[in-house]
Amino acid sequence: MQRVMCGGTSNEKPATPELQQLADSMKSAIEEATKKKYDVFVVKSYKIQTVAGTNYFIKIHVGGDDYVHARVFEPLPCSKDERSVHGVLENKSQHDELVYF
């Protein structure tokens, strides 16, 4: 039986300059999570999930055939919290689907 989540994710969308900017602002946190440095760091696509803020699931090309999927949480503007990385999946490929994690 498949579980349906409240506040499910959007369809996968092509990268935008704004999403690249968001990913760039979180690059050091993503590198810290993977314990790697990336010379290539290009957003290819993303999904969003609206919760008490927004989860961004971002597919990032990091060189060669390698991709990472990052989940970045951006809290509501009224909160005093800052955006943060809530997870990173490594060893992904161009064809791996972005899924909730």
Side-chain angles (χ1 to χ4, degrees), residues 20 23-24 26-45 58-70 88-96:
Q20 182 66 55
D24 288 344
M26 303 307 296
K27 183 180 179 192
S28 62
I30 293 167
E31 289 176 333
E32 187 176 312
T34 62
K35 298 181 180 15
K36 296 178 183 171
K37 294 286 183 193
Y38 300 114
D39 293 327
V40 175
F41 199 78
V42 179
V43 173
K44 293 298 184 178
S45 60
I58 308 169
K59 182 184 289 188
I60 305 166
H61 180 229
V62 293
D65 293 331
D66 295 330
Y67 287 74
V68 297
H69 292 180
V88 178
L89 301 177
E90 296 182 81
N91 304 315
K92 294 296 183 177
S93 76
Q94 175 183 359
H95 303 291
D96 286 334

Side-chain angles (χ1 to χ4, degrees), residues 2-9 49 51 57 100-101:
Q2 184 177 9
R3 231 172 108 189
V4 176
M5 293 176 32
C6 288
T9 62
Q49 176 192 37
V51 287
F57 297 88
Y100 181 89
F101 62 95

